[in-house]
Amino acid sequence: MPTKHGAFVFWIFCLPQYTRISRLSPPNLFALEKIHNYINGQLVAAQSGDWLDNYEPATGQVYSLIPDSDASDVQAAVAAAEAAFPAWSSCGVHERYRILHRIADLIEERLEPFAQAESRDSGKAITTARTVDIPRAQANIRFFATAILHFGAESHQMEGQAVNYTLRQPIGVVGCISPWNLPLYLFTWKIAPALATGNCVVAKPSELTPMTAYLLSQICIEAGLPAGVLNILHGLGPKAGQAIVEHPKTKAISFTGGTSTGRILARTAAPMFKKLSLELGGKNPNIIFADCNFEEAVSTTVRSSFANNGQICLCGSRVYIERSIYEKFRDELVRRAKALKTGDPADPTNDLGALVSEQHRAKVMGYLDIAKQEGGILLCRGEIVRPSDELANGYYLSPAIIEGLPNHCRTNQEEIFGPVVTLQPFDTEAEALALANDTEYGLAATLWTQDISRATRMAERLQSGIVWVNCWMLRDLRTPFGGVKSSGVGREGGVEALRFFTEAKNVCVKY
Ligand code: TXE
């Protein structure tokens, strides 16, 4: 977690220039790069002049500083957004299409530096940043830049009397708050539809992974995005994030993060009658029937269990396996999990990098202790990894696979959000369904069977917003995305996002 820079701040202020800290050198105050807020088209420090440390998960060292923004910075951002709104909301969909595509072009041109920055900031393997995070971030922007051209609205005729038509108008100034697990991917997933529909945005990425949002702000300036249309603030959630939600002029809030934080936002926003989209945590079931395509199921289950070190809300952390193939599937999954290489995220031969923070790794390891106390058997141990002396202080943890736990225990009921999965056998479809639904969450479920009747029957009964059958993370951006129960409220994606960021107005014309 970032800490306020104390004595160093003054000294750093005296230093003329900063270059990026080298991975090889010890913490060097001359090297700390300063990330800036992007407010009213300018890159600025926080008004307080305070900075927070930004840690590199691979080394455990501070490698940059972020503005410790507060309500005064939020006020400046909201004022800039308000001033920019009339022109942006009326410039027409083709102008918004043009500028958003230009931004996507620049991200695509700079995929490698963006991927390097994402990997260094989050600890994720460079191959994940290169093939998942950054390509998807520019795809998000392209998708909504184009979708807005086809965003129609309804009309309803009262024969011989009147015609009704629906206007879908931008809301005004909206807040977008995103998490650390897929930093630019989820940041653009929110701001792209908000901007495409003509809103002006006050956005805050996670204080744990601010870098690519900062690089994006530089690209927005280069692409000619008008000042104030997008404002990116950096800082702590309870301070800068809360101030965005509390501000009376932010009329809608789109949030992705933890369920407990989602509750706080809902308590703040509800009495202010703000529109609220909450994409929260998950504890997703992965149900494997004996008639599955075994190789596809086991290879995809390695990904759905450990991709991004399990730091994806869609990961299938509860694996239910039909008893007749339980041992065969378990042994093959353990063998492949043990073959995963955890190490330096910058090394493309590694499958998994570091977890995002020391605190998060401690949280995940705490759950491994809980699993043991609850009677779990660790088939893969989930141990701290020291890739090298230079990386000894990085936040590395090898994958863990646990069996022998009941469904109703903390390990199987609470979101761990790390490289940890549990295995349980089942005998019948009804039992698999009951086990899968036995959770407060309801984000995504994965189902492996060749029986199409069973697949469609179970999909109907699974309590989740997304069901993947014989696949995982296969994403069509036109589809509704979000969860039920404690996994959130509302849907993102496609027309759902365009409707969230617009207000519907019915106009009735008598003739
Ligand atoms: O998320 P937080 P964290 C889960 C996962 C993880 C847990 C907490 O289990 O361990 O959530 O992760 C901002 N007002 N997911 O701590 O705290 C914060 O600055 C306004 C699942 O990273 O929810 C950050 O920008 N904003 C999730 C964002 O909210 C506030 C992905 C998320 O932070 C705020 C991430 C406040 N009071 C974590 N407090 C998913 N569904 O993918 C914090 N923030």
Side-chain angles (χ1 to χ4, degrees), residues 6-297:
F8 288 146
V9 172
F10 173 74
W11 193 24
I12 281 175
F13 267 123
C14 306
L15 301 173
Q17 281 304 320
Y18 315 110
T19 53
R20 288 188 68 72
I21 192 168
S22 148
R23 169 72 63 74
L24 301 174
S25 64
N28 169 351
L29 290 178
F30 290 88
L32 291 183
E33 183 172 5
K34 285 186 171 179
I35 287 168
H36 282 70
N37 289 336
Y38 170 51
I39 297 177
N40 201 24
Q42 303 293 317
L43 298 176
V44 294
Q47 293 182 29
S48 66
D50 291 340
W51 300 89
L52 298 166
D53 295 337
N54 183 34
Y55 286 81
E56 180 179 11
T59 61
Q61 291 181 11
V62 176
Y63 87 104
S64 54
L65 299 173
I66 75 170
D68 184 10
S69 302
D70 59 25
S72 61
D73 304 292
V74 168
Q75 174 50 40
V78 170
E82 236 187 339
F85 178 66
W88 182 249
S89 57
S90 59
C91 71
V93 292
H94 290 91
E95 177 60 5
R96 297 200 288 267
Y97 163 94
R98 183 187 68 77
I99 292 183
L100 288 172
H101 268 296
R102 178 70 186 127
I103 292 169
D105 289 343
L106 291 171
I107 294 175
E108 199 164 11
E109 285 170 22
R110 298 168 195 175
L111 184 144
E112 187 55 24
F114 264 90
Q116 295 282 348
E118 196 74 291
S119 171
R120 187 175 190 192
D121 211 24
S122 64
K124 71 177 67 206
I126 183 66
T127 46
T128 304
R130 260 186 206 134
T131 59
V132 176
D133 292 71
I134 307 307
R136 173 64 191 274
Q138 63 90 16
N140 288 340
I141 296 173
R142 277 201 208 292
F143 174 82
F144 285 107
T146 312
I148 194 62
L149 300 181
H150 309 281
F151 183 43
E154 310 79 10
S155 78
H156 300 83
Q157 198 154 13
M158 301 164 76
E159 285 73 10
Q161 274 191 293
V163 61
N164 297 270
Y165 62 93
T166 304
L167 292 175
R168 291 200 176 275
Q169 298 175 305
I171 295 169
V173 178
V174 301
C176 295
I177 298 173
S178 53
W180 49 259
N181 58 321
L182 298 163
L184 196 63
Y185 174 135
L186 291 174
F187 187 80
T188 52
W189 184 233
K190 293 176 181 304
I191 67 168
L195 294 172
T197 44
N199 298 284
C200 290
V201 179
V202 177
K204 194 194 83 67
S206 172
E207 54 274 35
L208 296 176
T209 52
M211 190 57 79
T212 45
Y214 174 53
L215 298 181
L216 178 68
S217 56
Q218 295 167 356
I219 273 188
C220 289
I221 294 170
E222 187 176 342
L225 186 70
V229 169
L230 171 63
N231 304 275
I232 301 175
L233 284 160
H234 297 278
L236 301 173
K239 187 193 292 186
Q242 183 75 18
I244 293 171
V245 181
E246 283 174 351
H247 197 291
K249 294 286 178 66
T250 54
K251 295 300 180 192
I253 301 293
S254 176
F255 170 78
T256 294
T259 294
S260 55
T261 308
R263 287 195 180 94
I264 295 170
L265 267 71
R267 272 202 298 272
T268 306
M272 301 176 83
F273 303 113
K274 297 183 184 220
K275 285 183 87 169
L276 199 52
S277 164
L278 298 174
E279 202 279 292
L280 306 176
K283 190 72 178 181
N284 308 311
N286 177 9
I287 306 165
I288 297 151
F289 284 92
D291 72 337
C292 70
N293 175 317
F294 186 89
E295 174 50 36
E296 271 190 35

Side-chain angles (χ1 to χ4, degrees), residues 169-476:
Q169 298 175 305
I171 295 169
V173 178
V174 301
C176 295
I177 298 173
S178 53
W180 49 259
N181 58 321
L182 298 163
L184 196 63
Y185 174 135
L186 291 174
F187 187 80
T188 52
W189 184 233
K190 293 176 181 304
I191 67 168
L195 294 172
T197 44
N199 298 284
C200 290
V201 179
V202 177
K204 194 194 83 67
S206 172
E207 54 274 35
L208 296 176
T209 52
M211 190 57 79
T212 45
Y214 174 53
L215 298 181
L216 178 68
S217 56
Q218 295 167 356
I219 273 188
C220 289
I221 294 170
E222 187 176 342
L225 186 70
V229 169
L230 171 63
N231 304 275
I232 301 175
L233 284 160
H234 297 278
L236 301 173
K239 187 193 292 186
Q242 183 75 18
I244 293 171
V245 181
E246 283 174 351
H247 197 291
K249 294 286 178 66
T250 54
K251 295 300 180 192
I253 301 293
S254 176
F255 170 78
T256 294
T259 294
S260 55
T261 308
R263 287 195 180 94
I264 295 170
L265 267 71
R267 272 202 298 272
T268 306
M272 301 176 83
F273 303 113
K274 297 183 184 220
K275 285 183 87 169
L276 199 52
S277 164
L278 298 174
E279 202 279 292
L280 306 176
K283 190 72 178 181
N284 308 311
N286 177 9
I287 306 165
I288 297 151
F289 284 92
D291 72 337
C292 70
N293 175 317
F294 186 89
E295 174 50 36
E296 271 190 35
V298 72
S299 57
T300 309
T301 296
V302 173
R303 277 195 317 116
S304 64
S305 302
F306 303 116
N308 203 37
N309 267 315
Q311 297 169 133
I312 299 176
C313 56
L314 301 167
C315 280
S317 53
R318 291 181 291 140
V319 185
Y320 298 104
I321 307 159
E322 192 165 4
R323 198 176 298 276
S324 59
I325 63 162
Y326 179 81
E327 289 183 6
K328 178 186 172 191
F329 194 94
R330 173 198 64 191
D331 296 348
E332 183 56 19
L333 183 64
V334 168
R335 187 185 69 78
R336 296 192 190 196
K338 286 181 173 175
L340 291 173
K341 284 178 63 191
T342 298
D344 185 351
D347 177 349
T349 65
N350 285 325
D351 303 294
L352 302 173
L355 270 64
V356 72
S357 71
E358 180 66 81
Q359 291 80 349
H360 187 59
R361 181 174 68 173
K363 168 187 168 184
V364 175
M365 293 181 73
Y367 274 104
L368 296 179
D369 292 339
I370 289 168
K372 288 175 221 166
Q373 290 155 22
E374 292 180 323
I377 301 157
L378 269 69
L379 305 168
C380 274
R381 300 206 55 74
E383 294 166 325
I384 288 181
V385 174
R386 289 169 54 100
S388 65
D389 289 347
E390 181 209 355
L391 303 181
N393 297 323
Y395 317 132
Y396 302 95
L397 187 68
S398 65
I401 298 179
I402 306 161
E403 71 171 355
L405 286 170
N407 218 41
H408 246 283
C409 66
R410 289 188 62 190
T411 311
N412 273 327
Q413 291 295 315
E414 297 176 16
E415 186 181 43
I416 298 172
F417 217 63
V420 182
V421 298
T422 62
L423 310 182
Q424 289 184 73
F426 67 86
D427 294 301
T428 66
E429 180 181 314
E431 184 191 1
L433 195 61
L435 288 167
N437 286 337
D438 174 24
T439 170
E440 70 163 292
Y441 294 100
L443 185 52
T446 307
L447 197 50
W448 293 93
T449 179
Q450 305 292 341
D451 179 338
I452 194 74
S453 301
R454 171 158 62 197
T456 49
R457 192 169 51 240
M458 287 199 73
E460 208 173 284
R461 297 182 177 118
L462 282 163
Q463 296 166 4
S464 64
I466 303 152
V467 178
W468 277 296
V469 178
N470 298 331
C471 58
W472 177 72
M473 272 300 261
L474 193 54
R475 292 278 297 115
D476 180 327

